[in-house]
Amino acid sequence: MKYIKSLAGAIVICTILGFGQSGAQAASIGMGSVGSDVTYVQSILKKLGYFKTTTTGYYGPITTAAVKQFQRDFGLEPIGGVGPKTSRLIQEIEMMAHVVYGESRGESYQGQVAVASVILNRVESDDFPDTVQDVIFQRNAFTAVNDGQFNLSPTATAYLAVKDALLGWDPSYGSVYYYNPKLATNQWIFTRTVTKQIGNHYFAY
């Protein structure tokens, strides 16, 4: 984890990553499990459209079925339990949703998917870190991390935008940068090749 600028930011990240750490130590949660980790999984799956009832903190057949579908959609073995790979993906989706909401909540849905795509494109690029977490917390990479907007609670729309980006929709056409030309103060960004404008954002590489 890199460059958290505020205590509030640190608390948010610890909350997001704490689940994965306990999950890694315990190997998995699954049928019959109870508690806050289960509630967390249910809440994320609900925002992604997989868990269609009230969160209960109990890991029963409904949660198992939702996790299996989530795993199938994202190319994981559909075991129905939450082990290290599934918990890591949930963490990444959560972090990306915070960025999408903090950076582009006033933009169209396509614009929000494009912001999520930029994160993934950076992971794939040799010019950026190799993981979602390291891309997001690279020094000065995202305004929302620096100014605290990352700490806001994302809407379900932000989670769905991340889902669509992870499943292959890239409205940014491979861009690794985006900026608002009316607000940008770093002249260097204007030297980048623009691929598309979506709402207030220019997407570029």
Side-chain angles (χ1 to χ4, degrees):
M1 185 185 305
K2 301 179 181 179
Y3 308 109
I4 306 302
K5 297 255 179 173
S6 67
L7 177 61
I11 291 171
V12 169
I13 300 309
C14 287
T15 300
I16 292 170
L17 299 184
F19 166 75
Q21 292 164 356
S22 63
Q25 292 168 0
S28 68
I29 59 173
M31 185 72 77
S33 297
V34 295
S36 59
D37 281 354
V38 177
T39 302
Y40 173 75
V41 169
Q42 290 173 337
S43 67
I44 300 301
L45 293 179
K46 186 170 185 175
K47 291 169 183 173
L48 292 169
Y50 294 101
F51 190 78
K52 301 182 185 298
T53 187
T54 304
T55 58
T56 62
Y58 171 68
Y59 206 119
I62 295 174
T63 305
T64 299
V67 170
K68 282 184 177 180
Q69 189 58 56
F70 172 78
Q71 290 166 332
R72 289 190 193 98
D73 286 353
F74 289 96
L76 300 175
E77 183 181 0
I79 59 174
V82 178
K85 290 182 180 179
T86 301
S87 64
R88 178 181 174 181
L89 179 57
I90 289 172
Q91 293 163 26
E92 290 176 342
I93 290 171
E94 174 84 345
M95 287 185 284
M96 289 177 66
H98 276 266
V99 173
V100 168
Y101 187 72
E103 296 271 334
S104 61
R105 60 186 178 277
E107 298 295 321
S108 66
Y109 184 71
Q110 182 186 40
Q112 293 182 51
V113 177
V115 167
S117 297
V118 166
I119 298 171
L120 298 177
N121 292 338
R122 288 188 180 189
V123 173
E124 295 299 317
S125 171
D126 292 337
D127 297 327
F128 294 90
D130 296 329
T131 69
V132 167
Q133 180 181 337
D134 288 343
V135 162
I136 289 173
F137 297 110
Q138 186 178 25
R139 189 178 185 89
N140 296 325
F142 294 97
T143 301
V145 174
N146 288 342
D147 67 12
Q149 293 186 76
F150 180 88
N151 305 323
L152 300 173
S153 297
T155 61
T157 300
Y159 286 89
L160 292 174
V162 173
K163 178 183 177 182
D164 275 340
L166 283 166
L167 292 178
W169 184 20
D170 183 2
S172 80
Y173 294 103
S175 296
V176 292
Y177 302 104
Y178 61 88
Y179 62 96
N180 184 329
K182 295 180 181 179
L183 300 177
T185 57
N186 185 338
Q187 293 302 306
W188 175 85
I189 196 66
F190 293 101
T191 68
R192 312 314 299 174
T193 300
V194 174
T195 60
K196 189 172 183 180
Q197 180 180 359
I198 306 175
N200 292 314
H201 284 144
Y202 284 7
F203 291 83
Y205 63 86

